[in-house]
Amino acid sequence: SRVKFPFEVNDIEKIISLYNLGTVQNGYRNGAITFPFIDIKNNVRTIQVKQFDEANHTTGTDFLHSIINKHHARNSQPLPEWLEAYNKNEIKVSCLFGEHLLTKYPYNPIALVEAPKTAIYGSLYFGFPEQPKNLLWLAVYNLSSLNLNKCKALKGRNVFLFPDLSKDGKAFELWSEKAIEIQKQLEGT
């Protein structure tokens, strides 16, 4: 109720640029949004592909590497070498969504949420990170993927965790326990 909706075009363009968002055109998942997970060294680690309905509820989720795999299989084509190598990685989502922004905004406190969509809304609703007092919104991918390896990039930062709501409070409880363990291993965090 406090934020204009729909959002201003300039803010939408700014958020697209900040997080390197894109869309899928033609074929499978046409019109879906792409959420690239780019690490602190600016390496793209994975790209989540999500479709939403008019009420902004998720109607489909995939990953770009999976879509490319399916395309090659349907057309009886061999996979490119890079994709064969990528498929051997046990962990596909190996960094935080928005992690690439940590070096650009070294003084901002971090708001860590579950999903990239939530990080996008956090930035739109609560302000962009140009001001060092504003939160820099990052995402882990989902509830169960908050872990030490992903959080190593946050060492020395002030981090606020915002798990999604759950009827029984289990999400808050799970992240509270994980936060204590992670904080013990990341000095100054």
Side-chain angles (χ1 to χ4, degrees), residues 98-128:
E99 184 175 310
H100 66 287
L101 299 171
L102 290 169
T103 53
K104 186 174 181 177
Y105 302 105
Y107 305 110
N108 298 68
I110 306 301
L112 194 57
V113 297
E114 291 181 33
K117 179 177 97 171
T118 308
I120 298 302
Y121 276 126
S123 295
L124 287 167
Y125 279 110
F126 298 108
F128 289 93

PDB file of all heavy atoms in Angstrom, residues 98-128:
ATOM      1  N   GLY A  98      22.465 -12.582  -6.893  1.00  0.00           N
ATOM      2  CA  GLY A  98      22.878 -11.213  -6.590  1.00  0.00           C
ATOM      3  C   GLY A  98      24.269 -11.115  -5.988  1.00  0.00           C
ATOM      4  O   GLY A  98      24.737 -10.018  -5.684  1.00  0.00           O
ATOM      5  N   GLU A  99      24.957 -12.234  -5.839  1.00  0.00           N
ATOM      6  CA  GLU A  99      26.294 -12.241  -5.228  1.00  0.00           C
ATOM      7  C   GLU A  99      27.261 -11.316  -5.954  1.00  0.00           C
ATOM      8  O   GLU A  99      28.156 -10.723  -5.350  1.00  0.00           O
ATOM      9  CB  GLU A  99      26.832 -13.678  -5.205  1.00  0.00           C
ATOM     10  CG  GLU A  99      28.164 -13.831  -4.524  1.00  0.00           C
ATOM     11  CD  GLU A  99      28.607 -15.286  -4.414  1.00  0.00           C
ATOM     12  OE1 GLU A  99      27.808 -16.130  -3.956  1.00  0.00           O
ATOM     13  OE2 GLU A  99      29.756 -15.575  -4.787  1.00  0.00           O
ATOM     14  N   HIS A 100      27.110 -11.182  -7.257  1.00  0.00           N
ATOM     15  CA  HIS A 100      27.992 -10.321  -8.047  1.00  0.00           C
ATOM     16  C   HIS A 100      27.932  -8.857  -7.607  1.00  0.00           C
ATOM     17  O   HIS A 100      28.831  -8.078  -7.912  1.00  0.00           O
ATOM     18  CB  HIS A 100      27.650 -10.436  -9.539  1.00  0.00           C
ATOM     19  CG  HIS A 100      26.297  -9.909  -9.898  1.00  0.00           C
ATOM     20  ND1 HIS A 100      25.130 -10.587  -9.572  1.00  0.00           N
ATOM     21  CD2 HIS A 100      25.919  -8.775 -10.547  1.00  0.00           C
ATOM     22  CE1 HIS A 100      24.093  -9.884 -10.016  1.00  0.00           C
ATOM     23  NE2 HIS A 100      24.544  -8.793 -10.610  1.00  0.00           N
ATOM     24  N   LEU A 101      26.904  -8.496  -6.866  1.00  0.00           N
ATOM     25  CA  LEU A 101      26.753  -7.104  -6.411  1.00  0.00           C
ATOM     26  C   LEU A 101      27.530  -6.802  -5.131  1.00  0.00           C
ATOM     27  O   LEU A 101      27.660  -5.642  -4.746  1.00  0.00           O
ATOM     28  CB  LEU A 101      25.261  -6.802  -6.191  1.00  0.00           C
ATOM     29  CG  LEU A 101      24.384  -6.938  -7.440  1.00  0.00           C
ATOM     30  CD1 LEU A 101      22.909  -6.834  -7.068  1.00  0.00           C
ATOM     31  CD2 LEU A 101      24.770  -5.902  -8.484  1.00  0.00           C
ATOM     32  N   LEU A 102      28.050  -7.821  -4.482  1.00  0.00           N
ATOM     33  CA  LEU A 102      28.750  -7.615  -3.206  1.00  0.00           C
ATOM     34  C   LEU A 102      29.963  -6.710  -3.339  1.00  0.00           C
ATOM     35  O   LEU A 102      30.218  -5.879  -2.457  1.00  0.00           O
ATOM     36  CB  LEU A 102      29.155  -8.959  -2.595  1.00  0.00           C
ATOM     37  CG  LEU A 102      28.006  -9.807  -2.062  1.00  0.00           C
ATOM     38  CD1 LEU A 102      28.483 -11.216  -1.727  1.00  0.00           C
ATOM     39  CD2 LEU A 102      27.368  -9.145  -0.851  1.00  0.00           C
ATOM     40  N   THR A 103      30.730  -6.824  -4.399  1.00  0.00           N
ATOM     41  CA  THR A 103      31.911  -5.963  -4.563  1.00  0.00           C
ATOM     42  C   THR A 103      31.514  -4.553  -5.004  1.00  0.00           C
ATOM     43  O   THR A 103      32.201  -3.598  -4.674  1.00  0.00           O
ATOM     44  CB  THR A 103      32.905  -6.570  -5.579  1.00  0.00           C
ATOM     45  OG1 THR A 103      32.221  -6.859  -6.800  1.00  0.00           O
ATOM     46  CG2 THR A 103      33.528  -7.833  -5.034  1.00  0.00           C
ATOM     47  N   LYS A 104      30.419  -4.437  -5.709  1.00  0.00           N
ATOM     48  CA  LYS A 104      29.949  -3.119  -6.147  1.00  0.00           C
ATOM     49  C   LYS A 104      29.375  -2.316  -4.978  1.00  0.00           C
ATOM     50  O   LYS A 104      29.459  -1.087  -4.956  1.00  0.00           O
ATOM     51  CB  LYS A 104      28.879  -3.281  -7.243  1.00  0.00           C
ATOM     52  CG  LYS A 104      28.427  -1.979  -7.856  1.00  0.00           C
ATOM     53  CD  LYS A 104      27.484  -2.210  -9.015  1.00  0.00           C
ATOM     54  CE  LYS A 104      27.080  -0.879  -9.620  1.00  0.00           C
ATOM     55  NZ  LYS A 104      26.220  -1.023 -10.786  1.00  0.00           N
ATOM     56  N   TYR A 105      28.797  -3.012  -4.008  1.00  0.00           N
ATOM     57  CA  TYR A 105      28.186  -2.367  -2.841  1.00  0.00           C
ATOM     58  C   TYR A 105      28.778  -2.973  -1.565  1.00  0.00           C
ATOM     59  O   TYR A 105      28.121  -3.744  -0.865  1.00  0.00           O
ATOM     60  CB  TYR A 105      26.660  -2.537  -2.880  1.00  0.00           C
ATOM     61  CG  TYR A 105      26.042  -1.972  -4.136  1.00  0.00           C
ATOM     62  CD1 TYR A 105      25.601  -2.811  -5.159  1.00  0.00           C
ATOM     63  CD2 TYR A 105      25.928  -0.599  -4.313  1.00  0.00           C
ATOM     64  CE1 TYR A 105      25.049  -2.286  -6.313  1.00  0.00           C
ATOM     65  CE2 TYR A 105      25.386  -0.071  -5.468  1.00  0.00           C
ATOM     66  CZ  TYR A 105      24.949  -0.920  -6.470  1.00  0.00           C
ATOM     67  OH  TYR A 105      24.406  -0.399  -7.618  1.00  0.00           O
ATOM     68  N   PRO A 106      30.041  -2.618  -1.250  1.00  0.00           N
ATOM     69  CA  PRO A 106      30.747  -3.283  -0.149  1.00  0.00           C
ATOM     70  C   PRO A 106      30.305  -2.884   1.255  1.00  0.00           C
ATOM     71  O   PRO A 106      30.691  -3.550   2.219  1.00  0.00           O
ATOM     72  CB  PRO A 106      32.209  -2.889  -0.384  1.00  0.00           C
ATOM     73  CG  PRO A 106      32.129  -1.572  -1.087  1.00  0.00           C
ATOM     74  CD  PRO A 106      30.893  -1.645  -1.946  1.00  0.00           C
ATOM     75  N   TYR A 107      29.526  -1.832   1.394  1.00  0.00           N
ATOM     76  CA  TYR A 107      29.176  -1.341   2.732  1.00  0.00           C
ATOM     77  C   TYR A 107      27.728  -1.601   3.132  1.00  0.00           C
ATOM     78  O   TYR A 107      27.370  -1.405   4.283  1.00  0.00           O
ATOM     79  CB  TYR A 107      29.479   0.164   2.832  1.00  0.00           C
ATOM     80  CG  TYR A 107      30.908   0.469   2.474  1.00  0.00           C
ATOM     81  CD1 TYR A 107      31.228   1.144   1.301  1.00  0.00           C
ATOM     82  CD2 TYR A 107      31.957   0.038   3.283  1.00  0.00           C
ATOM     83  CE1 TYR A 107      32.544   1.394   0.961  1.00  0.00           C
ATOM     84  CE2 TYR A 107      33.280   0.286   2.952  1.00  0.00           C
ATOM     85  CZ  TYR A 107      33.560   0.973   1.785  1.00  0.00           C
ATOM     86  OH  TYR A 107      34.870   1.207   1.439  1.00  0.00           O
ATOM     87  N   ASN A 108      26.919  -2.034   2.191  1.00  0.00           N
ATOM     88  CA  ASN A 108      25.503  -2.244   2.482  1.00  0.00           C
ATOM     89  C   ASN A 108      25.281  -3.468   3.356  1.00  0.00           C
ATOM     90  O   ASN A 108      25.923  -4.496   3.153  1.00  0.00           O
ATOM     91  CB  ASN A 108      24.709  -2.431   1.187  1.00  0.00           C
ATOM     92  CG  ASN A 108      24.762  -1.225   0.294  1.00  0.00           C
ATOM     93  OD1 ASN A 108      25.807  -0.903  -0.240  1.00  0.00           O
ATOM     94  ND2 ASN A 108      23.640  -0.570   0.123  1.00  0.00           N
ATOM     95  N   PRO A 109      24.341  -3.360   4.296  1.00  0.00           N
ATOM     96  CA  PRO A 109      23.920  -4.568   4.998  1.00  0.00           C
ATOM     97  C   PRO A 109      23.180  -5.467   4.003  1.00  0.00           C
ATOM     98  O   PRO A 109      22.613  -4.992   3.020  1.00  0.00           O
ATOM     99  CB  PRO A 109      22.990  -4.050   6.089  1.00  0.00           C
ATOM    100  CG  PRO A 109      22.540  -2.705   5.619  1.00  0.00           C
ATOM    101  CD  PRO A 109      23.614  -2.173   4.729  1.00  0.00           C
ATOM    102  N   ILE A 110      23.196  -6.762   4.262  1.00  0.00           N
ATOM    103  CA  ILE A 110      22.627  -7.747   3.345  1.00  0.00           C
ATOM    104  C   ILE A 110      21.281  -8.238   3.854  1.00  0.00           C
ATOM    105  O   ILE A 110      21.147  -8.591   5.027  1.00  0.00           O
ATOM    106  CB  ILE A 110      23.571  -8.960   3.197  1.00  0.00           C
ATOM    107  CG1 ILE A 110      24.989  -8.523   2.798  1.00  0.00           C
ATOM    108  CG2 ILE A 110      22.995  -9.987   2.226  1.00  0.00           C
ATOM    109  CD1 ILE A 110      25.070  -7.752   1.509  1.00  0.00           C
ATOM    110  N   ALA A 111      20.299  -8.284   2.978  1.00  0.00           N
ATOM    111  CA  ALA A 111      19.017  -8.938   3.251  1.00  0.00           C
ATOM    112  C   ALA A 111      19.051 -10.243   2.466  1.00  0.00           C
ATOM    113  O   ALA A 111      19.134 -10.236   1.241  1.00  0.00           O
ATOM    114  CB  ALA A 111      17.855  -8.077   2.794  1.00  0.00           C
ATOM    115  N   LEU A 112      19.045 -11.359   3.179  1.00  0.00           N
ATOM    116  CA  LEU A 112      19.127 -12.658   2.532  1.00  0.00           C
ATOM    117  C   LEU A 112      17.770 -13.347   2.597  1.00  0.00           C
ATOM    118  O   LEU A 112      17.218 -13.556   3.676  1.00  0.00           O
ATOM    119  CB  LEU A 112      20.201 -13.513   3.221  1.00  0.00           C
ATOM    120  CG  LEU A 112      20.666 -14.760   2.496  1.00  0.00           C
ATOM    121  CD1 LEU A 112      21.196 -14.437   1.098  1.00  0.00           C
ATOM    122  CD2 LEU A 112      21.749 -15.456   3.309  1.00  0.00           C
ATOM    123  N   VAL A 113      17.224 -13.649   1.428  1.00  0.00           N
ATOM    124  CA  VAL A 113      15.892 -14.254   1.309  1.00  0.00           C
ATOM    125  C   VAL A 113      16.010 -15.591   0.576  1.00  0.00           C
ATOM    126  O   VAL A 113      17.077 -15.960   0.097  1.00  0.00           O
ATOM    127  CB  VAL A 113      14.915 -13.314   0.580  1.00  0.00           C
ATOM    128  CG1 VAL A 113      14.716 -12.023   1.368  1.00  0.00           C
ATOM    129  CG2 VAL A 113      15.401 -12.993  -0.834  1.00  0.00           C
ATOM    130  N   GLU A 114      14.890 -16.285   0.477  1.00  0.00           N
ATOM    131  CA  GLU A 114      14.895 -17.586  -0.194  1.00  0.00           C
ATOM    132  C   GLU A 114      14.981 -17.443  -1.710  1.00  0.00           C
ATOM    133  O   GLU A 114      15.882 -17.965  -2.340  1.00  0.00           O
ATOM    134  CB  GLU A 114      13.646 -18.378   0.183  1.00  0.00           C
ATOM    135  CG  GLU A 114      13.625 -18.829   1.624  1.00  0.00           C
ATOM    136  CD  GLU A 114      12.387 -19.631   1.967  1.00  0.00           C
ATOM    137  OE1 GLU A 114      11.885 -20.362   1.085  1.00  0.00           O
ATOM    138  OE2 GLU A 114      11.922 -19.523   3.112  1.00  0.00           O
ATOM    139  N   ALA A 115      14.029 -16.765  -2.325  1.00  0.00           N
ATOM    140  CA  ALA A 115      13.882 -16.776  -3.782  1.00  0.00           C
ATOM    141  C   ALA A 115      14.341 -15.477  -4.444  1.00  0.00           C
ATOM    142  O   ALA A 115      14.187 -14.390  -3.877  1.00  0.00           O
ATOM    143  CB  ALA A 115      12.414 -17.024  -4.140  1.00  0.00           C
ATOM    144  N   PRO A 116      14.885 -15.593  -5.669  1.00  0.00           N
ATOM    145  CA  PRO A 116      15.260 -14.387  -6.411  1.00  0.00           C
ATOM    146  C   PRO A 116      14.119 -13.388  -6.564  1.00  0.00           C
ATOM    147  O   PRO A 116      14.333 -12.187  -6.462  1.00  0.00           O
ATOM    148  CB  PRO A 116      15.697 -14.941  -7.772  1.00  0.00           C
ATOM    149  CG  PRO A 116      16.196 -16.312  -7.472  1.00  0.00           C
ATOM    150  CD  PRO A 116      15.279 -16.811  -6.383  1.00  0.00           C
ATOM    151  N   LYS A 117      12.897 -13.866  -6.785  1.00  0.00           N
ATOM    152  CA  LYS A 117      11.753 -12.957  -6.930  1.00  0.00           C
ATOM    153  C   LYS A 117      11.595 -12.091  -5.684  1.00  0.00           C
ATOM    154  O   LYS A 117      11.332 -10.893  -5.777  1.00  0.00           O
ATOM    155  CB  LYS A 117      10.473 -13.752  -7.198  1.00  0.00           C
ATOM    156  CG  LYS A 117       9.231 -12.885  -7.348  1.00  0.00           C
ATOM    157  CD  LYS A 117       8.014 -13.717  -7.691  1.00  0.00           C
ATOM    158  CE  LYS A 117       7.215 -14.041  -6.471  1.00  0.00           C
ATOM    159  NZ  LYS A 117       5.913 -14.658  -6.761  1.00  0.00           N
ATOM    160  N   THR A 118      11.816 -12.675  -4.520  1.00  0.00           N
ATOM    161  CA  THR A 118      11.703 -11.925  -3.264  1.00  0.00           C
ATOM    162  C   THR A 118      12.797 -10.865  -3.171  1.00  0.00           C
ATOM    163  O   THR A 118      12.549  -9.748  -2.716  1.00  0.00           O
ATOM    164  CB  THR A 118      11.778 -12.882  -2.060  1.00  0.00           C
ATOM    165  OG1 THR A 118      10.825 -13.937  -2.241  1.00  0.00           O
ATOM    166  CG2 THR A 118      11.496 -12.157  -0.758  1.00  0.00           C
ATOM    167  N   ALA A 119      13.999 -11.198  -3.619  1.00  0.00           N
ATOM    168  CA  ALA A 119      15.095 -10.220  -3.621  1.00  0.00           C
ATOM    169  C   ALA A 119      14.767  -9.045  -4.540  1.00  0.00           C
ATOM    170  O   ALA A 119      15.020  -7.884  -4.202  1.00  0.00           O
ATOM    171  CB  ALA A 119      16.399 -10.891  -4.049  1.00  0.00           C
ATOM    172  N   ILE A 120      14.162  -9.348  -5.681  1.00  0.00           N
ATOM    173  CA  ILE A 120      13.774  -8.291  -6.627  1.00  0.00           C
ATOM    174  C   ILE A 120      12.745  -7.369  -5.974  1.00  0.00           C
ATOM    175  O   ILE A 120      12.877  -6.142  -6.011  1.00  0.00           O
ATOM    176  CB  ILE A 120      13.203  -8.916  -7.924  1.00  0.00           C
ATOM    177  CG1 ILE A 120      14.247  -9.772  -8.637  1.00  0.00           C
ATOM    178  CG2 ILE A 120      12.625  -7.848  -8.841  1.00  0.00           C
ATOM    179  CD1 ILE A 120      15.513  -9.071  -9.021  1.00  0.00           C
ATOM    180  N   TYR A 121      11.721  -7.968  -5.374  1.00  0.00           N
ATOM    181  CA  TYR A 121      10.704  -7.148  -4.707  1.00  0.00           C
ATOM    182  C   TYR A 121      11.291  -6.362  -3.544  1.00  0.00           C
ATOM    183  O   TYR A 121      10.907  -5.212  -3.313  1.00  0.00           O
ATOM    184  CB  TYR A 121       9.534  -8.011  -4.230  1.00  0.00           C
ATOM    185  CG  TYR A 121       8.514  -8.260  -5.300  1.00  0.00           C
ATOM    186  CD1 TYR A 121       8.132  -9.553  -5.628  1.00  0.00           C
ATOM    187  CD2 TYR A 121       7.927  -7.204  -5.993  1.00  0.00           C
ATOM    188  CE1 TYR A 121       7.193  -9.788  -6.620  1.00  0.00           C
ATOM    189  CE2 TYR A 121       6.994  -7.430  -6.986  1.00  0.00           C
ATOM    190  CZ  TYR A 121       6.633  -8.724  -7.291  1.00  0.00           C
ATOM    191  OH  TYR A 121       5.718  -8.944  -8.274  1.00  0.00           O
ATOM    192  N   GLY A 122      12.205  -6.956  -2.807  1.00  0.00           N
ATOM    193  CA  GLY A 122      12.835  -6.239  -1.703  1.00  0.00           C
ATOM    194  C   GLY A 122      13.516  -4.969  -2.186  1.00  0.00           C
ATOM    195  O   GLY A 122      13.373  -3.904  -1.580  1.00  0.00           O
ATOM    196  N   SER A 123      14.253  -5.070  -3.286  1.00  0.00           N
ATOM    197  CA  SER A 123      14.922  -3.896  -3.851  1.00  0.00           C
ATOM    198  C   SER A 123      13.921  -2.850  -4.330  1.00  0.00           C
ATOM    199  O   SER A 123      14.100  -1.654  -4.100  1.00  0.00           O
ATOM    200  CB  SER A 123      15.830  -4.300  -5.015  1.00  0.00           C
ATOM    201  OG  SER A 123      16.881  -5.110  -4.574  1.00  0.00           O
ATOM    202  N   LEU A 124      12.875  -3.308  -4.996  1.00  0.00           N
ATOM    203  CA  LEU A 124      11.872  -2.371  -5.512  1.00  0.00           C
ATOM    204  C   LEU A 124      11.095  -1.674  -4.388  1.00  0.00           C
ATOM    205  O   LEU A 124      10.808  -0.484  -4.474  1.00  0.00           O
ATOM    206  CB  LEU A 124      10.896  -3.099  -6.442  1.00  0.00           C
ATOM    207  CG  LEU A 124      11.443  -3.485  -7.807  1.00  0.00           C
ATOM    208  CD1 LEU A 124      10.514  -4.469  -8.507  1.00  0.00           C
ATOM    209  CD2 LEU A 124      11.659  -2.244  -8.678  1.00  0.00           C
ATOM    210  N   TYR A 125      10.766  -2.413  -3.347  1.00  0.00           N
ATOM    211  CA  TYR A 125       9.960  -1.852  -2.264  1.00  0.00           C
ATOM    212  C   TYR A 125      10.773  -1.037  -1.262  1.00  0.00           C
ATOM    213  O   TYR A 125      10.309  -0.024  -0.760  1.00  0.00           O
ATOM    214  CB  TYR A 125       9.222  -2.963  -1.511  1.00  0.00           C
ATOM    215  CG  TYR A 125       7.962  -3.438  -2.182  1.00  0.00           C
ATOM    216  CD1 TYR A 125       7.897  -4.701  -2.748  1.00  0.00           C
ATOM    217  CD2 TYR A 125       6.835  -2.633  -2.251  1.00  0.00           C
ATOM    218  CE1 TYR A 125       6.744  -5.157  -3.363  1.00  0.00           C
ATOM    219  CE2 TYR A 125       5.677  -3.076  -2.874  1.00  0.00           C
ATOM    220  CZ  TYR A 125       5.636  -4.339  -3.420  1.00  0.00           C
ATOM    221  OH  TYR A 125       4.494  -4.770  -4.032  1.00  0.00           O
ATOM    222  N   PHE A 126      11.974  -1.498  -0.955  1.00  0.00           N
ATOM    223  CA  PHE A 126      12.725  -0.881   0.138  1.00  0.00           C
ATOM    224  C   PHE A 126      13.917  -0.054  -0.302  1.00  0.00           C
ATOM    225  O   PHE A 126      14.620   0.508   0.526  1.00  0.00           O
ATOM    226  CB  PHE A 126      13.175  -1.955   1.140  1.00  0.00           C
ATOM    227  CG  PHE A 126      12.015  -2.660   1.769  1.00  0.00           C
ATOM    228  CD1 PHE A 126      11.719  -3.964   1.432  1.00  0.00           C
ATOM    229  CD2 PHE A 126      11.200  -2.001   2.685  1.00  0.00           C
ATOM    230  CE1 PHE A 126      10.637  -4.618   2.001  1.00  0.00           C
ATOM    231  CE2 PHE A 126      10.112  -2.651   3.258  1.00  0.00           C
ATOM    232  CZ  PHE A 126       9.831  -3.961   2.916  1.00  0.00           C
ATOM    233  N   GLY A 127      14.172   0.028  -1.588  1.00  0.00           N
ATOM    234  CA  GLY A 127      15.224   0.909  -2.086  1.00  0.00           C
ATOM    235  C   GLY A 127      16.406   0.164  -2.674  1.00  0.00           C
ATOM    236  O   GLY A 127      16.756  -0.928  -2.251  1.00  0.00           O
ATOM    237  N   PHE A 128      17.013   0.821  -3.647  1.00  0.00           N
ATOM    238  CA  PHE A 128      18.171   0.275  -4.332  1.00  0.00           C
ATOM    239  C   PHE A 128      19.420   0.488  -3.478  1.00  0.00           C
ATOM    240  O   PHE A 128      19.455   1.381  -2.623  1.00  0.00           O
ATOM    241  CB  PHE A 128      18.312   0.945  -5.699  1.00  0.00           C
ATOM    242  CG  PHE A 128      17.248   0.530  -6.668  1.00  0.00           C
ATOM    243  CD1 PHE A 128      16.082   1.268  -6.804  1.00  0.00           C
ATOM    244  CD2 PHE A 128      17.403  -0.610  -7.438  1.00  0.00           C
ATOM    245  CE1 PHE A 128      15.093   0.872  -7.694  1.00  0.00           C
ATOM    246  CE2 PHE A 128      16.422  -1.013  -8.326  1.00  0.00           C
ATOM    247  CZ  PHE A 128      15.264  -0.267  -8.455  1.00  0.00           C
TER     248      PHE A 128
END
